[in-house]
Amino acid sequence: MDAWNSSPLEIAYIVFGWVSFASWGFSFYPQIILNFRTKSVVGLNFDFLVLNLTKHSSYLIYNATLYFSPVVQRQYHEKYGFDQMIPVAANDVAFSTHSVMLTTVAFYQVFIYERGTQKVARSSIAITAAVWVSAAVCAFVAWPNQSWLWLVSVFNAIQVTMTVIKYIPQVLLNCKRKSTEGWSTGYVFLDLLGGVTSYTQMVMQSIDQGSLVNFYGNLGKCLLSLVSIFYDLIFLFQRYVLYHSKKDEISSNSEMVHDESGAPLMKPFYRSQAENV
C-alpha cells in the first residue's frame, strides 16, 4: 500500500512538490500586484481569467476528492492496483485551493480597475457554460453506479482541456498589441518553475515505484505540467524576442500606452498615485 521504497526519493518528492506549490502559488501575485500598482487590468486577457477559474475549480474538485475520499481512493486502487500510491499529494490540494482564491481576487480587480473596452468573449462564456453543464450530466450518469473515480477523472480531463485553451487568448492578445505590457513576466517565470518541479515530482514517484502508473493514473497533472511549460516558453519568446524592442519604445517615448484606436491601454504608476492623493 502507499509505501515508499527509498527515503531520499520520498524526501525529493516532498521537496519538489512544495517547490511546485510555492512557484505556482506565488505566480498569481506578480499579476495581481501589477494590476494594483497601475490600477489597470488592460493587457490581462479577461477570457484567460474566465477559463482559468473553471480550470482551477475543476482541478480542486479532482485533487480534494482523490486525496480525502476513502471511497474514491479504494476505486483507484481497484483499478490500478492496491500496491500503487495515490498520485495526488497535499501540495496539489493546497495549490488548487490557493489558485481558486487568487483567481477570484483577479476577477475582483477587473471590476474596480481601468479595463478599457475589453469584454469577455461570447465564446469563452459558451465554453464555460458547456463545461459545467457537461460536468452536471456526468454527475447524473455516475450517481446510479457510484462511479466516483470516473467522475473525478472527468474533472481532471476538464482541467487539462482548459489548461490547453486558457492561454490562447493571452497569446493572441499579445500578438494583436505587439506587446506584452500588462502581462506579468514574473507570472510566466514562476509558472514555468512550477511546471518543471511538478513534473519532476512525478518522476521521483515513478522511479521509486518502478512504474509509470502515476503518470497515466494522474494524466491530468502530467499534462498540466507539460502544457504550462509549452505556453510559458511562448510567452518568454514574445517578451524577449518578438516584442522586446516594442517594449523599450513604449517605455521611453510614452507616458501612456494606446492601442491603434487611441484608447488607453496602461495607466502609468505615478499618475495612478497622484490621482489617489
Side-chain angles (χ1 to χ4, degrees):
M1 299 284 293
D2 304 352
W4 284 86
N5 299 313
S6 169
S7 295
L9 286 175
E10 180 181 9
I11 294 173
Y13 175 87
I14 295 172
V15 171
F16 278 115
W18 286 107
V19 170
S20 174
F21 163 75
S23 301
W24 266 340
F26 283 108
S27 69
F28 289 88
Y29 289 95
Q31 186 67 56
I32 290 175
I33 292 172
L34 177 63
N35 297 342
F36 174 76
R37 291 184 59 193
T38 61
K39 299 298 185 292
S40 171
V41 291
V42 178
L44 171 62
N45 189 274
F46 296 172
D47 297 328
F48 170 81
L49 282 180
V50 171
L51 300 174
N52 206 27
L53 183 60
T54 298
K55 179 264 178 189
H56 287 302
S57 298
S58 58
Y59 198 37
L60 174 59
I61 293 172
Y62 170 80
N63 284 331
T65 304
L66 188 53
Y67 187 79
F68 290 111
S69 172
V71 175
V72 178
Q73 290 177 358
R74 176 177 55 78
Q75 292 180 2
Y76 180 89
H77 284 136
E78 289 174 348
K79 181 175 182 179
Y80 295 107
F82 285 90
D83 58 336
Q84 297 297 325
M85 300 177 66
I86 297 298
V88 173
N91 65 273
D92 297 318
V93 180
F95 162 70
S96 299
T97 304
H98 182 266
S99 299
V100 171
M101 294 172 58
L102 269 293
T103 305
T104 303
V105 171
F107 255 112
Y108 175 70
Q109 291 182 318
V110 167
F111 291 101
I112 64 174
Y113 294 149
E114 177 188 354
R115 57 182 180 272
T117 59
Q118 186 182 176
K119 297 180 180 179
V120 178
R122 292 181 179 179
S123 58
S124 296
I125 297 175
I127 291 173
T128 302
V131 163
W132 289 111
V133 170
S134 299
V137 171
C138 289
F140 180 78
V141 172
W143 184 274
N145 297 322
Q146 307 291 291
S147 304
W148 306 127
L149 178 62
W150 172 79
L151 180 59
V152 298
S153 297
V154 169
F155 282 102
N156 201 15
I158 288 174
Q159 74 88 10
V160 172
T161 303
M162 302 306 288
T163 300
V164 171
I165 65 176
K166 73 172 187 176
Y167 290 109
I168 296 176
Q170 187 65 54
V171 171
L172 295 179
L173 179 63
N174 293 345
C175 291
K176 180 180 180 181
R177 298 176 59 218
K178 299 295 187 292
S179 172
T180 58
E181 287 295 289
W183 175 240
S184 172
T185 307
Y187 169 86
V188 176
F189 277 115
L190 289 170
D191 192 50
L192 177 61
L193 178 60
V196 171
T197 52
S198 178
Y199 189 82
T200 305
Q201 182 190 33
M202 300 188 74
V203 171
M204 295 298 101
Q205 181 177 340
S206 181
I207 293 174
D208 179 83
Q209 300 293 297
S211 170
L212 297 176
V213 170
N214 67 300
F215 280 100
Y216 59 79
N218 190 358
L219 188 60
K221 181 177 179 179
C222 177
L223 293 177
L224 168 62
S225 302
L226 296 178
V227 171
S228 297
I229 293 170
F230 173 74
Y231 277 107
D232 289 331
L233 293 177
I234 292 178
F235 288 130
L236 291 177
F237 184 74
Q238 287 182 319
R239 181 75 170 187
Y240 294 107
V241 179
L242 292 181
Y243 310 131
H244 181 65
S245 59
K246 184 72 174 179
K247 173 180 178 295
D248 293 339
E249 178 183 344
I250 291 173
S251 300
S252 60
N253 296 334
S254 177
E255 291 185 350
M256 182 179 295
V257 182
H258 292 74
D259 63 16
E260 295 180 355
S261 64
L265 286 177
M266 181 64 67
K267 184 183 293 184
F269 173 60
Y270 67 83
R271 182 171 297 178
S272 299
Q273 295 298 316
E275 291 175 354
N276 293 330
V277 175

